[in-house]
Amino acid sequence: MVVVAIVALLTAFAAPYMGQMIRKQRLRTASFDVFSSLTLARSEAIKRNVSVTMAPVGGDWTKGWTVTDANGNVLRTQGAVDTLAVAGPNNVVFTGTGRLSLGIVPFSIDTVIGSSTLYRCVSVDLSG
């Protein structure tokens, strides 16, 4: 009984920190997913020598995004990211040279943990 009580006590102390750790890891994972999709879009644009577009599902990056080439082939589909807010441009287009068709592309990913908000930023400049 004493061992069970000690385990229960330690679990009660660790549970709030475990939730914070999970939210932080989700934030890191979402920022890596954005980064890897941008990298894929750029490399496929260079490889295929056509424009490749990364666009949000339904105009909302939080619902996920797709990477498609100029012929309409879907290269990657990313599902929704839970408990996070993802903000970015209307879409990201890489030309066949691997450069962005427009200006600098900033993405912001954030989550609320307790009374604070954690942010991650992914930014792409004109050279890709």
Side-chain angles (χ1 to χ4, degrees):
M1 285 289 229
V2 172
V3 171
V4 172
I6 291 173
V7 169
L9 186 63
L10 290 175
T11 303
F13 283 123
Y17 298 106
M18 188 65 143
Q20 288 179 1
M21 184 184 74
I22 290 170
R23 285 188 209 96
K24 286 179 184 178
Q25 188 59 39
R26 283 183 183 159
L27 182 65
R28 284 188 208 113
T29 301
S31 62
F32 178 76
D33 288 343
V34 168
F35 175 76
S36 67
S37 292
L38 288 166
T39 303
L40 173 79
R42 182 173 187 262
S43 66
E44 288 295 323
I46 294 169
K47 181 173 88 173
R48 297 169 188 247
N49 196 25
V50 297
S51 294
V52 174
T53 303
M54 182 173 150
V57 172
D60 184 4
W61 290 100
T62 304
K63 294 179 183 176
W65 54 87
T66 59
V67 177
T68 57
D69 68 6
N71 300 320
N73 299 320
V74 176
L75 306 175
R76 177 180 285 177
T77 301
Q78 176 67 40
V81 289
D82 297 332
T83 68
L84 299 173
V86 182
N90 293 336
N91 60 27
V92 179
V93 180
F94 286 97
T95 63
T97 61
R99 297 184 179 270
L100 289 174
S101 64
L102 297 175
I104 296 173
V105 177
F107 282 89
S108 172
I109 303 120
D110 60 80
T111 186
V112 176
I113 297 178
S115 61
S116 62
T117 303
L118 296 178
Y119 295 95
R120 286 280 177 141
C121 182
V122 177
S123 183
V124 183
D125 64 11
L126 287 172
S127 66

